[in-house]
Amino acid sequence: ETKMWKGGFSMSCHSALRRRLNARMVSFSARYSSLLLPLPPSSPRTTSTRLQKTFPATSWSPPPFLCRALSSRNEVEERIRKYAKEACRVEELQGFEAKDVLSSAVIGAGTMGGGIAMCLAEKNIKVQLIDKDPKMLQGCFERMKKNWENAVSKGKITKEVLEQRLKCIHLHDSVDACRGVDLVIEAIFEDMKAKKEIFKEVDTVAKEDAILASNTSTLNIDHIFSDVSRPHNTVGLHFFSPAQVMPLLEVVRGGSSSKQTLATAMKLGQTLGKSPVLAGNCFGFIGNRMFESYTKEAMFLLEEGALPHEVDEAIQEWGMVMGPFAVSDLAGLDIGYLIRKEQGLVDPQTRSKESGRYAGTIADRLVLSGRKGQKTQGGFYDYSKGRNPERDPSVEEIVKSVSRDLGVTRRKIQKEEIVERCILSLVNEGYKILDEGIARAWTDIDVVYAYGYGARNQQPMTYARELGMKKVLELIRKYQRQCPDAPHWKPAQGILDALREEDRLRAQQQNVPYLG
């Protein structure tokens, strides 16, 4: 009942999902009765003909996630494509001519560096692939070659195309190879000091008008480039793993990034066949900042009584291709661990009170026991038999032991609560990002989650608008009371503003005074 979505995501077969949901509509209606509210006039819902025929003139409305699951997949994809086109049209960049990128350097021959190099070479952009470790370099090159050879064997590309791509890749062990290229992309591990040192060195050899870009997924762009002499030519280019497959590119605006640099980055994303989304500079930018709140809630659910497969199944039924724990295993648990360590959260002695309840205890124990995800054949799940996640009793015992150590009495957690807490934590953080100007529009956020995080069947901001701001705020305040030590449940100002706008439109439609 599963198939592989490009990029290695395992997803439930859509037709099978539709059959299962059809059979369980009545039980779902009872389970999600708290969500069944009429939509505000400003947020029309697109439902499938099948759904309308199944429930003609009933007195209740199916929950939004059920409507999305049964609506035409083409309708959802068409909507996201429309939003992606809108994300590419950045009004403030109109009139600024993008530079041509004909040559590049990629620093770091790991998974991300290799994937980025493949993206560039596939568009005939010359790549100087740089790493001090010759084994890493050669191993990365062999992986790229094998990927392209597989494409030849499947008839996707010709041998001539393969040879052309290989000619675009040149291996080096020094940043001196950055000399003369149009673009330098750093793709090493998430360590601020190491990134700053690399760019300080690159700045001395790269040509004056070369663009310097970091593939950091979380770190402050302005801090990374604080020592370079050309801050106007710096930008964040956050590719998603595997970079040669995933369609999203977050273009991160630094405080000094010029309009021409941003225009060049956005054009490059489109040249590479990506959907670029312009993001402001903060921890995690758009996607990972929201994902942090989402994974925190998923972790809290484990501490309180759920198991990894229960959370992932509920989130997949809602509309994600993968649940948070399968995603974490795919990305690598050690990445999150290093980020938490960089923030001073792993050690209780350096953890600030403002950070609130710590969510990383279970993940930290898994990493320290050697379980780092798929790459070690074990993370939240067991992968000893392949890439499909399987439940692991030893992990479930670690989860239960953490609950005991924290003094938490475990309880049975229903799917409704799992969905509400995980998805609404995304929504609330999304509105905070809009409040701060990190994202330009709520539609940009849905593009990020559709193309970067596997929300292909439903997206968080659309879900919130369909649910209605009154219900969204009611649930957020409910979980704020339930989890007072979790700062991310403080309602975003944007939600309060959206609720007022809903009320105003409703009053206008009903031709009654709006009292504010």
Side-chain angles (χ1 to χ4, degrees), residues 221-241:
I221 290 294
D222 292 332
H223 292 174
I224 290 174
F225 295 115
S226 61
D227 296 327
V228 304
S229 62
R230 59 185 97 191
H232 59 289
N233 280 348
T234 63
V235 68
L237 291 178
H238 179 208
F239 291 80
F240 285 70
S241 184

Side-chain angles (χ1 to χ4, degrees), residues 309-371:
H309 73 279
E310 293 172 338
V311 174
D312 280 359
E313 285 173 5
I315 296 305
Q316 281 185 287
E317 284 187 12
W318 175 82
M320 290 282 199
V321 170
M322 298 176 73
F325 299 116
V327 169
S328 297
D329 280 350
L330 181 65
L333 302 186
D334 52 325
I335 295 175
Y337 177 78
L338 289 173
I339 292 171
R340 292 190 295 276
K341 197 170 182 180
E342 174 84 14
Q343 294 175 311
L345 296 175
V346 173
D347 185 353
Q349 301 302 317
T350 59
R351 199 179 297 158
S352 68
K353 293 182 179 179
E354 291 76 19
S355 63
R357 177 180 172 185
Y358 183 55
T361 306
I362 294 172
D364 292 349
R365 289 195 187 181
L366 292 176
V367 171
L368 294 174
S369 69
R371 304 182 67 96

Side-chain angles (χ1 to χ4, degrees), residues 13-38:
C13 178
H14 187 58
S15 60
L17 176 61
R18 290 170 70 99
R19 289 195 299 271
R20 289 199 300 272
L21 288 176
N22 247 350
R24 297 177 62 192
M25 275 185 176
V26 175
S27 63
F28 274 164
S29 69
R31 182 183 303 170
Y32 290 93
S33 58
S34 64
L35 301 182
L36 309 181
L37 293 181

Side-chain angles (χ1 to χ4, degrees), residues 115-322:
I116 295 169
M118 287 181 71
C119 290
L120 295 163
E122 286 173 4
K123 299 301 178 182
N124 292 320
I125 298 173
K126 294 179 182 179
V127 183
Q128 312 300 323
L129 183 59
I130 303 167
D131 200 295
K132 292 182 179 179
D133 187 338
K135 290 183 179 179
M136 286 285 289
L137 267 178
Q138 193 58 41
C140 184
F141 181 78
E142 292 301 326
R143 286 193 301 274
M144 288 189 286
K145 184 179 178 183
K146 185 177 180 181
N147 272 323
W148 287 328
E149 286 174 342
N150 287 340
V152 171
S153 67
K154 294 176 182 178
K156 295 181 177 179
I157 62 173
T158 64
K159 288 184 179 180
E160 290 74 20
V161 171
L162 166 63
E163 293 301 322
Q164 178 60 38
R165 291 176 178 180
L166 292 175
K167 287 178 183 177
C168 287
I169 305 292
H170 305 274
L171 308 183
H172 302 275
D173 61 1
S174 167
V175 296
D176 287 341
C178 295
R179 199 180 305 272
V181 302
D182 300 320
L183 169 69
V184 179
I185 303 177
E186 164 273 310
I188 67 167
F189 51 91
E190 290 290 83
D191 182 278
M192 179 64 76
K193 183 179 178 181
K195 290 178 186 288
K196 287 172 68 71
E197 288 176 354
I198 282 176
F199 279 114
K200 190 183 294 186
E201 191 175 353
V202 168
D203 193 40
T204 64
V205 298
K207 64 181 183 178
E208 187 177 347
D209 63 343
I211 291 177
L212 309 185
S214 175
N215 180 56
T216 180
S217 59
T218 57
L219 301 180
N220 188 303
I221 290 294
D222 292 332
H223 292 174
I224 290 174
F225 295 115
S226 61
D227 296 327
V228 304
S229 62
R230 59 185 97 191
H232 59 289
N233 280 348
T234 63
V235 68
L237 291 178
H238 179 208
F239 291 80
F240 285 70
S241 184
Q244 71 275 20
V245 174
M246 295 296 285
L248 179 67
L249 175 66
E250 280 185 319
V251 175
V252 185
R253 177 207 305 266
S256 301
S257 301
S258 71
K259 299 288 180 63
Q260 185 181 38
T261 296
L262 295 174
T264 302
M266 294 293 287
K267 181 182 176 182
L268 174 67
Q270 294 176 75
T271 299
L272 298 180
K274 306 296 184 186
S275 291
V277 174
L278 184 61
N281 182 26
C282 68
F283 174 82
F285 320 127
I286 296 175
N288 278 342
R289 173 170 160 181
M290 290 171 63
F291 198 74
E292 184 188 29
S293 298
Y294 171 74
T295 52
K296 276 183 178 180
E297 276 307 308
M299 294 292 186
F300 293 156
L301 287 162
L302 293 193
E303 293 177 359
E304 294 169 24
L307 293 173
H309 73 279
E310 293 172 338
V311 174
D312 280 359
E313 285 173 5
I315 296 305
Q316 281 185 287
E317 284 187 12
W318 175 82
M320 290 282 199
V321 170
M322 298 176 73

